[in-house]
Amino acid sequence: MFVSHIGPALILSGHGRKAGFPAEFMGAVSDGHASILFATLAGVSLALLTGGSRPHDGVARRRDRALIAVRAAILFVLGMALAQFSTEVVVILPFYALCFLLALPLLRLPPGFLAVLAAAWAVAGPVMSFFIRREVEGDVGTIGGTLKFSDLTSWPEARSGLLRLLLEGTYPVMTWMPLVLAGVAVGRLDLRSAAIRLRLLAAGAALAVVGSGGSWLALHVFGGLQAIQPTLDFMRPVAAGLGRDPLELMERSHLGTVPTDTPARLLLDGPHSGTPFEIVGSGGCALAVLALCLLAGDRHRTLLAPLTAVGALSLTTYTAQVVTLRFLPSAQALAAHPWVPLLGFVLAAVVFCGLWRRFLGRGPLERLMHWTSTRASAALAGPGAARRATSSRSSSLR
């Protein structure tokens, strides 16, 4: 996330300069993959929150649903506030919140069914989005962005904001839901099992190959490149000025979806393109990263404790990053030392979260989220859930 938002490649490109190999490589690895990993982990979190491999039932299930709904509402409002405050980051939280709500009816499904549903949605969702947007937009442009409070001042603005969440934004729900569902399926497995972790790693690697390799075959072997050749020719002078290949420039110029001029755009695999190949390939990368982190976490628990602390305070870290970026100097001022902001963000996050986690436990925003959602969900779910929530809090304090 930090590399995507404040990495040296981004700073230098904003100053009209090309970064060297390390910065370009880090930017290419993180671009698009960071947010897709974020969405996949959202699904894993939903599964763990509702019982993991042994899903809750009865009163506990009602409490879980109320808890998730309340947390979604909090994230939605916080996300709009951050989006209104900062123009530096396309805030993911409103999309995140809507995915939480849409996942609620599906949390009871077994992991195998969820995996099949996620696979089907990964292919059908981007295709349906493409043709719906073609009818709604009436042109070849895409909107990008997220939802702000200012989008709710009138019905046309609200309608446009809702379309951004569902179809046209940087993290459109219609094409990103399979990532959340895949995460829920993974969270329903016994993630303590070494065999499960290795299968997850293999499946993730295979999906990554299918996504990237399938896109390459569709473009270069089965004629997809010819269908987008007019656009490539149009972009060639700009690409030459930037020292890039036109296809590479096209694949790296999206804001969540592809333009609707030709269905051949769906064959691309660029970051934030929202195509079936990106969802499958980057989703596979997310599963592989999760498996590797699980394997490394058991072997190097002490060494990785600072990173674990940052993960435990992820909402606080994300919010602090969005707020801090609002006050940073321009790319021109940072270009003299492009690595300093990234290293500063990483060091500050590790030190702050490590100390807070060690001495104070749950993070400040995480604590507020837990306190608010636990009490609100207990009230919404009924007396039985309230007693269970109270008992759970007492046990955790002991």
Side-chain angles (χ1 to χ4, degrees):
M1 182 182 69
F2 287 157
V3 172
S4 295
H5 292 161
I6 198 65
L10 183 67
I11 292 174
L12 291 175
S13 65
H15 190 51
R17 294 165 53 187
K18 193 171 182 179
F21 168 74
E24 289 282 345
F25 177 76
M26 288 176 63
V29 168
S30 64
D31 194 10
H33 292 116
S35 49
I36 280 184
L37 177 58
F38 208 49
T40 307
L41 288 175
V44 177
S45 299
L46 288 177
L48 297 179
L49 189 65
T50 55
S53 58
R54 296 182 178 179
H56 296 155
D57 206 347
V59 173
R61 179 188 294 163
R62 293 202 306 272
R63 175 180 168 271
D64 290 342
R65 289 178 174 175
L67 183 73
I68 292 170
V70 172
R71 291 191 176 191
I74 295 173
L75 289 175
F76 194 86
V77 174
L78 175 61
M80 286 198 297
L82 290 176
Q84 191 71 40
F85 174 77
S86 175
T87 58
E88 305 299 320
V89 176
V90 181
V91 179
I92 197 174
L93 297 184
F95 301 88
Y96 216 56
L98 192 54
C99 286
F100 273 28
L101 294 178
L102 293 178
L104 280 177
L106 306 174
L107 293 178
R108 293 182 60 184
L109 298 176
F113 191 93
L114 283 168
V116 171
L117 180 60
W121 199 326
V123 176
V127 176
M128 291 177 61
S129 169
F130 178 90
F131 288 103
I132 293 173
R133 286 185 294 109
R134 173 179 273 187
E135 295 299 322
V136 171
E137 293 171 2
D139 57 30
V140 298
T142 54
I143 294 177
T146 186
L147 187 69
K148 306 176 182 179
F149 282 123
S150 57
D151 295 323
L152 306 180
T153 55
S154 66
W155 166 243
E157 291 289 341
R159 176 180 175 274
S160 176
L162 181 60
L163 284 177
R164 279 203 297 281
L165 288 181
L166 294 175
L167 297 172
E168 301 170 334
T170 305
Y171 320 103
V173 170
M174 176 168 279
T175 52
W176 279 52
M177 270 303 293
L179 301 168
V180 178
L181 297 180
V184 175
V186 169
R188 290 285 182 240
L189 304 175
D190 180 11
L191 294 177
R192 296 181 178 85
S193 167
I196 292 292
R197 295 172 178 179
L198 291 176
R199 290 174 190 168
L200 187 62
L201 176 60
L207 289 172
V209 171
V210 168
S212 297
S215 173
W216 188 89
L217 288 173
L219 288 171
H220 297 276
V221 177
F222 296 109
L225 207 57
Q226 296 176 1
I228 58 175
Q229 194 63 50
T231 306
L232 292 177
D233 292 339
F234 177 77
M235 298 178 65
R236 200 172 300 278
V238 177
L242 297 174
R244 295 186 179 275
D245 179 77
L247 180 59
E248 178 192 1
L249 184 62
M250 178 186 287
E251 289 193 319
R252 302 190 69 84
S253 61
H254 299 114
L255 287 174
T257 54
V258 293
T260 56
D261 54 342
T262 171
R265 295 256 193 179
L266 292 170
L267 303 179
L268 298 174
D269 179 35
H272 296 292
S273 59
T275 67
F277 292 105
E278 191 217 2
I279 298 301
V280 171
S282 295
C285 289
L287 297 181
V289 168
L290 174 59
L292 289 173
C293 288
L294 289 169
L295 292 168
D298 282 348
R299 294 171 180 252
H300 309 288
R301 186 177 298 272
T302 303
L303 180 64
L304 296 176
L307 298 182
T308 304
V310 177
L313 276 72
S314 57
L315 182 61
T316 296
T317 304
Y318 182 88
T319 303
Q321 172 224 210
V322 173
V323 172
T324 304
L325 285 175
R326 178 69 174 79
F327 299 101
L328 281 186
S330 65
Q332 183 176 359
L334 297 173
H337 304 285
W339 286 91
V340 171
L342 174 62
L343 297 176
F345 268 67
V346 171
L347 181 62
V350 169
V351 172
F352 172 81
C353 294
L355 293 175
W356 186 289
R357 180 73 170 167
R358 178 177 178 82
F359 296 107
L360 297 174
R362 189 176 277 121
L365 286 183
E366 287 76 13
R367 191 185 298 269
L368 178 62
M369 170 81 81
H370 176 78
W371 185 88
T372 305
S373 61
T374 300
R375 282 157 179 77
S377 63
L380 291 172
R387 288 193 297 271
R388 182 183 178 88
T390 303
S391 174
S392 175
R393 287 196 300 272
S394 299
S395 298
S396 65
L397 289 174
R398 289 198 294 269

